[in-house]
Amino acid sequence: MQTNPKTNSEISFNDFKETVLNDYKIAVTSRECSLLGRREVLTGKAKFGIFGDGKEVPQLAWAKAFQNGDWRSGYYRDQTFMMAIGELTIEQFFAGLYAHTDIKADPMSAGRQMGGHFATHSLNEDGSWKNLTQQKNSSADISPTAGQMPRLLGLAQASKIFRNVKGIENKTNFSINGNEVAWGTIGNASTSEGLFWETINAAGVLQVPMVMSVWDDEYGISVHAKYQTTKENISEVLKGFQRNDEQDGYEIIRVKGWDYPELIEVYNRASKIAREEHVPVLIHVQQLTQPQGHSTSGSHERYKSKERLEWEAKNDCNVKMREWIISSDIATEETLSEIEKDIKKKVRDGKKAAWEAFVAPQKNEQEEAVLLLGNLAENSANKNFIEKLKNELASEKEPLRRDILASTRKALRYVVGEDSSEKKQLQDWIENYFEVIQPKYSAHLYSEAKENAKTIKEVLPSYAKDAEEVDGRVIIRDNFDAIFNKHPDVLIFGEDSGEIGDVNQGLEGMQEKYGKLRVADVGIREATILGQGIGMAMRGLRPIAEIQYLDYILYCLQIMSDDLVTVRYRTNGTQKAPLIVRTRGHRLEGIWHSGSQMGGLIHLLRGMYILVPRNMTKAAGFYNTLLETDEPALVIECLNGYRLKEKMPNNLGELRTPIGVVETVKEGKDITLVSYGSTLRIVEEAAKELQQAGIDAEIIDVQSLLPLDLNHDMVKSVAKTNRLLVIDEDVSGGASAYILQNIVDVQGGYKYLDSKPQTLAAKDHRPAYGTDGDYFSKPSVEDVYEKVYEIMNESNPSKFPKLR
């Protein structure tokens, strides 16, 4: 009798042989896909290839320990694992390589990511959650080195939350008592990245069920491990993280990447430790190879010695597994050769089928376009030129959509002065082509569900007759209290968020009331704070990740930009991460604590909402709105607003601030002033002084920068006043320029302007320290007053003579 590598129960030798041979078939299939995939890139059928050859055997062992409900957060070498868990076929592998835009052909990303980037589907077609405990889950990969690490932490922490937080026991489609393990993978060279170290440290502190595999083939692209890692050995460096009887930490295990039986034992042991004890495990998988080098962009023969190449050939994990199978009398040389021959054919056939499926729709579209071009040419004075375009397009044996659309669009240039039914047919076809094809490359940047954050209706704050004037921090605090009471799956965490109730006491008393897991302090590590939120949001919780100041967003901006905001887009709508990021910024004093870098954020964070409430009541309404839907957002509270007085609403937890809707806070007839956040108070004060000079300004608070003014209310104001000034405290060319472009260009405001539209921003340096530093760095009341007066002077110099 033998032991079942997956269950540790005893099975017959015949069953054991069948299991081993099935694993070997997967390893060989994966290798053949890698080899043939490289050829497809070199022949030009695919743009780029990065493959998992050399990592096959350890991934077979990992797949045996991976259970339903578990999660993967890996990197682009894990194709064998995906095949082993039944989530990647030969055809799907090649569909991803060719960038097939059909989600059924390429279920990983519908052609949006290059091959080697893997994901499973967490959502049904209507955007609702699947039962994630009944499937094996892979969070969608990203390319940036070690970028998968922060998210991994959150995926693991979710199990801890599900196991220990009361009130969410009914969320059984996301977790079964927190028994799920989050599995991470990384190349040994990428452990040099700060994101690796930050995550490793955080997982050790939090004690979460995370198993981290380091695939060690001694190189990072062409750079040897001696230039990457102290002592050339990551597990040696991490020895201090090893747990003992007195202190928590990691279980650290080393194993040879070609030792099939030992790998199976190691992965089962790691699974048991993480799953039952909620202890993180690091598995250092050594002596791996990379037979084709890093990617199709180069050859490893250029940087590996002859001796190293010979060693890799002998110690390749597939070669060693083959030798072990024969020496263990599991199969003969002849049997394995027959298996390998059969698999080569299957991979070739699968590749061919994937390519034919990829080009088939384009060929149909090509035929339609060629027919329309032929019809257009018949009655055109420029027949010869159009027929040349038609013939060139028809000669393309494997047409791209770029070729089809370029040819048809160019043809219209030759009939610009003509009028015919054939021209109209081609115009209609091109328009329809864009409508049908463009979403294949652009859909799902934001939620496309029938009900989304932009459809949540406003609920205004209501007040008792004797409503008290309180500090703004009290409003945000009491609203969080209502949120935690209403939504047991909501949790908040950040630097100083717990015991002291955040630096501005907007969470005062919340940890004592709701516990240390739901209102948590964390270390100074913004990237993994973000990662905790992404991972937990992907597992059905509603996390609020607090970044203490807007300036510190820069520490985690890469994770927000590359991971969070692209989750829905890069999976073609099959995954989501409804994380709310809370921070505070704008007007304060000093280079590092007065951040208003909104221009950078609005361009780097397309895919999430950026909300800029002017006071704490508006901020409270945004949190309530966001928790009614399932989309990521950044909420920036005004840093100087916590001590300002506001009336206390009596409907906290229920009031809603609409997303993408501007508010006119003062009506006027002479000029439209647009702003947001703390600067709006400056604008309001200036407007009062302008009124005394006979200038009646209309003030608009944009409230949200992404999305911006969905109802196009700003242009309605400009149509009334015929003048426009946009004011904010970002640098010149930042958010104020973005708002101006939206009003003038997108909304067509140029048609209504009698004066040049202008912006008033901060100076291009960061704000100097102190009250005077603020005054000379950011727009002041006087700056706003004088800029508006200057605009009015140009219009009516006799009524508004020059100030200076």
Side-chain angles (χ1 to χ4, degrees):
M1 301 293 285
Q2 299 286 332
T3 300
N4 186 323
K6 188 169 184 178
T7 65
N8 287 326
S9 59
E10 289 189 345
I11 59 174
S12 69
F13 185 65
N14 284 336
D15 289 340
F16 174 71
K17 284 171 56 175
E18 184 178 346
T19 299
V20 172
L21 289 178
N22 184 63
D23 279 351
Y24 184 67
K25 289 175 183 177
I26 295 170
V28 174
T29 299
S30 180
R31 178 65 61 87
E32 288 299 320
C33 284
S34 295
L35 296 171
L36 193 51
R38 181 180 178 86
R39 287 189 217 120
E40 290 298 278
V41 174
L42 298 179
T43 60
K45 285 186 175 179
K47 298 289 287 185
F48 182 78
I50 194 158
F51 306 111
D53 46 302
K55 317 296 186 291
E56 293 89 350
V57 174
Q59 291 182 24
L60 296 171
W62 167 26
K64 292 182 183 303
F66 197 93
Q67 298 182 14
N68 281 351
D70 285 0
W71 280 82
R72 168 191 170 273
S73 183
Y75 91 133
Y76 38 73
R77 303 289 185 197
D78 295 345
Q79 71 196 45
T80 307
F81 168 79
M82 295 299 290
M83 289 178 173
I85 64 169
E87 293 294 335
L88 180 66
T89 66
I90 295 168
E91 287 83 356
Q92 289 166 350
F93 172 90
F94 285 102
L97 195 64
Y98 302 140
H100 199 310
T101 56
D102 186 341
I103 192 68
K104 292 176 181 171
D106 172 24
M108 306 304 153
S109 74
R112 294 184 179 182
Q113 297 219 81
M114 60 178 134
H117 294 67
F118 305 114
T120 52
H121 295 189
S122 301
L123 308 179
N124 297 305
E125 288 190 10
D126 63 359
S128 61
W129 290 104
K130 291 187 172 187
N131 188 326
L132 303 181
T133 67
Q134 294 181 359
Q135 64 180 43
K136 294 177 171 64
N137 302 289
S138 173
S139 59
D141 294 340
I142 58 176
S143 287
T145 308
Q148 72 273 25
M149 294 293 297
R151 177 193 343 128
L152 172 66
L153 178 68
L155 292 168
Q157 188 182 3
S159 289
K160 186 169 186 174
I161 298 299
F162 281 121
R163 182 172 289 185
N164 295 288
V165 170
K166 290 181 169 41
I168 56 175
E169 297 85 357
N170 64 335
K171 294 177 77 72
T172 53
N173 57 327
F174 298 110
S175 178
I176 305 299
N177 195 37
N179 293 333
E180 302 78 24
V181 173
W183 303 79
T185 64
I186 196 168
N188 62 298
S190 297
T191 63
S192 302
E193 292 277 11
L195 294 176
F196 173 83
W197 290 95
E198 191 170 319
T199 303
I200 290 295
N201 180 54
V205 170
L206 292 171
Q207 289 292 285
V208 292
M210 180 181 101
V211 180
M212 187 70 226
S213 295
V214 179
W215 308 139
D216 190 346
D217 57 28
E218 289 196 16
Y219 285 86
I221 307 183
S222 65
V223 181
H224 191 270
K226 64 186 176 184
Y227 301 111
Q228 307 274 3
T229 309
T230 302
K231 300 183 179 181
E232 299 182 37
N233 189 315
I234 191 63
S235 56
E236 185 70 18
V237 176
L238 291 172
K239 269 186 176 178
F241 284 77
Q242 176 65 51
R243 64 175 177 162
N244 55 45
D245 292 339
E246 289 77 38
Q247 294 177 303
D248 290 335
Y250 274 74
E251 189 65 32
I252 298 176
I253 307 170
R254 296 181 188 177
V255 62
K256 294 179 179 64
W258 47 262
D259 192 338
Y260 175 78
E262 181 67 14
L263 283 161
I264 291 172
E265 189 281 323
V266 162
Y267 274 93
N268 279 326
R269 176 157 44 107
S271 174
K272 183 177 175 64
I273 292 169
R275 201 176 305 280
E276 296 178 6
E277 302 177 49
H278 274 198
V279 169
V281 182
L282 184 130
I283 304 176
H284 186 188
V285 186
Q286 300 176 291
Q287 296 189 19
L288 287 172
T289 67
Q290 200 153 279
Q292 298 189 111
H294 174 262
S295 69
T296 53
S297 61
S299 169
H300 66 155
E301 284 85 358
R302 290 186 298 161
Y303 55 85
K304 289 178 182 175
S305 68
K306 178 183 176 183
E307 292 74 22
R308 174 65 190 185
L309 291 169
E310 289 174 352
W311 181 91
E312 288 196 7
K314 291 177 183 176
N315 291 277
D316 178 277
C317 63
N318 283 16
V319 170
K320 298 288 275 186
M321 184 179 182
R322 192 180 196 278
E323 292 172 355
W324 174 79
I325 289 172
I326 294 170
S327 66
S328 301
D329 292 329
I330 294 171
T332 64
E333 164 80 32
E334 292 73 23
T335 299
L336 296 183
S337 295
E338 194 62 35
I339 288 172
E340 291 154 4
K341 180 180 177 183
D342 180 59
I343 288 172
K344 282 179 183 288
K345 183 178 185 306
K346 285 182 179 177
V347 172
R348 285 196 303 271
D349 290 346
K351 184 268 298 183
K352 182 180 178 183
W355 178 253
E356 289 175 351
F358 170 69
V359 298
Q362 278 104 274
K363 285 186 175 181
N364 291 336
E365 295 155 19
Q366 176 193 37
E367 289 176 6
E368 291 176 3
V370 167
L371 179 62
L372 289 168
L373 289 173
N375 293 341
L376 183 70
E378 283 302 312
N379 298 309
S380 173
N382 289 308
K383 178 178 181 179
N384 291 340
F385 295 104
I386 298 171
E387 284 197 333
K388 183 173 184 293
L389 286 173
K390 182 197 77 169
N391 294 335
E392 287 174 351
L393 179 59
S395 68
E396 294 285 348
K397 293 182 179 179
E398 294 165 343
L400 296 175
R401 289 185 165 122
R402 176 195 63 188
D403 304 324
I404 297 166
L405 203 47
S407 297
T408 52
R409 294 169 78 181
K410 286 177 182 177
L412 290 178
R413 301 174 192 175
Y414 294 114
V415 293
V416 67
E418 300 177 11
D419 187 16
S420 68
S421 60
E422 290 82 6
K423 175 183 175 181
K424 182 68 167 59
Q425 280 183 325
L426 184 61
Q427 288 173 326
D428 290 345
W429 186 89
I430 291 172
E431 191 70 25
N432 182 68
Y433 196 77
F434 269 114
E435 288 181 12
V436 173
I437 302 301
Q438 187 67 54
K440 295 179 183 295
Y441 305 93
S442 303
H444 299 293
L445 181 60
Y446 292 91
S447 173
E448 297 179 6
K450 193 172 183 181
E451 292 185 0
N452 57 60
K454 293 172 286 191
T455 67
I456 303 298
K457 300 299 183 185
E458 181 176 21
V459 177
L460 292 167
S462 60
Y463 302 94
K465 288 184 179 179
D466 57 349
E468 183 183 2
E469 291 266 335
V470 299
D471 289 346
R473 73 164 190 91
V474 175
I475 291 173
I476 204 76
R477 178 199 67 189
D478 290 0
N479 193 74
F480 275 128
D481 190 9
I483 284 172
F484 293 136
N485 187 56
K486 181 179 180 180
H487 302 281
D489 54 352
V490 169
L491 53 150
I492 192 166
F493 45 93
E495 298 158 14
D496 302 305
S497 301
E499 188 170 353
I500 69 169
D502 86 38
V503 289
N504 298 101
Q505 295 193 292
L507 293 168
E508 180 189 25
M510 295 298 102
Q511 186 181 86
E512 184 178 359
K513 187 171 183 179
Y514 294 101
K516 292 184 177 181
L517 286 175
R518 291 192 67 193
V519 184
D521 285 312
V522 299
I524 300 175
R525 44 174 180 78
E526 284 79 9
T528 45
I529 291 173
L530 232 294
Q532 286 176 247
I534 297 171
M536 287 193 280
M538 294 182 96
R539 290 196 58 189
L541 294 168
R542 293 310 309 266
I544 302 174
E546 181 171 319
I547 304 299
Q548 195 166 83
Y549 296 111
L550 184 60
D551 305 79
Y552 303 165
I553 285 281
L554 297 179
Y555 280 102
C556 59
L557 186 57
Q558 185 260 323
I559 297 301
M560 292 178 74
S561 181
D562 286 331
D563 195 353
L564 177 60
V565 304
T566 67
V567 168
R568 199 182 292 265
Y569 171 77
R570 74 179 189 266
T571 64
N572 199 40
T574 62
Q575 290 187 1
K576 60 184 175 183
L579 168 64
I580 300 172
V581 182
R582 179 196 185 205
T583 191
R584 49 193 68 81
H586 309 315
R587 217 93 190 190
L588 196 62
E589 293 175 353
I591 292 175
W592 314 119
H593 295 86
S594 52
S596 295
Q597 61 271 27
M598 307 311 301
L601 297 180
I602 58 181
H603 295 301
L604 290 169
L605 299 180
R606 302 294 169 97
M608 72 187 298
Y609 299 132
I610 298 181
L611 311 176
V612 284
R614 68 179 181 270
N615 59 38
M616 297 306 149
T617 303
K618 290 288 184 180
F622 275 134
Y623 290 116
N624 298 338
T625 295
L626 290 167
L627 288 168
E628 292 299 310
T629 181
D630 60 357
E631 296 162 85
L634 172 64
V635 181
I636 304 167
E637 299 168 15
C638 292
L639 190 47
N640 61 359
Y642 296 103
R643 301 298 174 188
L644 296 180
K645 299 296 183 182
E646 300 180 40
K647 284 174 65 175
M648 172 62 87
N650 59 12
N651 63 338
L652 291 176
E654 300 302 325
L655 62 92
R656 308 273 187 277
T657 306
I659 289 175
V661 178
V662 305
E663 181 180 353
T664 302
V665 298
K666 176 190 176 299
E667 293 194 359
K669 59 182 174 48
D670 293 328
I671 188 169
T672 298
L673 305 181
V674 179
S675 192
Y676 60 88
S678 295
T679 306
L680 198 80
R681 288 191 282 275
I682 302 290
V683 174
E684 287 181 297
E685 190 174 340
K688 291 177 185 177
E689 298 180 7
L690 286 163
Q691 195 84 48
Q692 297 170 8
I695 300 171
D696 187 16
E698 181 149 300
I699 303 174
I700 291 178
D701 177 9
V702 302
Q703 301 198 102
S704 68
L705 289 167
L706 286 178
L708 176 62
D709 191 13
L710 296 172
N711 299 326
H712 288 193
D713 289 326
M714 292 188 292
V715 75
K716 296 169 189 173
S717 174
V718 173
K720 178 171 66 171
T721 68
N722 309 119
R723 295 176 186 86
L724 171 65
L725 177 64
V726 182
I727 311 102
D728 82 336
E729 55 181 286
D730 193 5
V731 296
S732 59
S736 57
Y738 159 78
I739 295 168
L740 182 68
Q741 183 266 342
N742 185 279
I743 298 170
V744 174
D745 187 4
V746 177
Q747 298 187 23
Y750 69 92
K751 294 179 288 189
Y752 308 106
L753 289 165
D754 293 336
S755 299
K756 180 181 74 172
Q758 297 188 52
T759 63
L760 176 60
K763 298 296 186 288
D764 285 339
H765 53 76
R766 296 194 182 201
Y769 176 63
T771 301
D772 285 345
D774 174 78
Y775 188 85
F776 286 95
S777 300
K778 293 189 174 184
S780 65
V781 172
E782 290 71 38
D783 290 331
V784 177
Y785 183 100
E786 291 175 6
K787 176 65 77 171
V788 173
Y789 192 93
E790 179 186 302
I791 294 170
M792 300 305 295
N793 162 260
E794 182 188 40
S795 171
N796 192 342
S798 60
K799 185 176 180 180
F800 305 105
K802 281 191 175 183
L803 284 173
R804 57 187 176 93

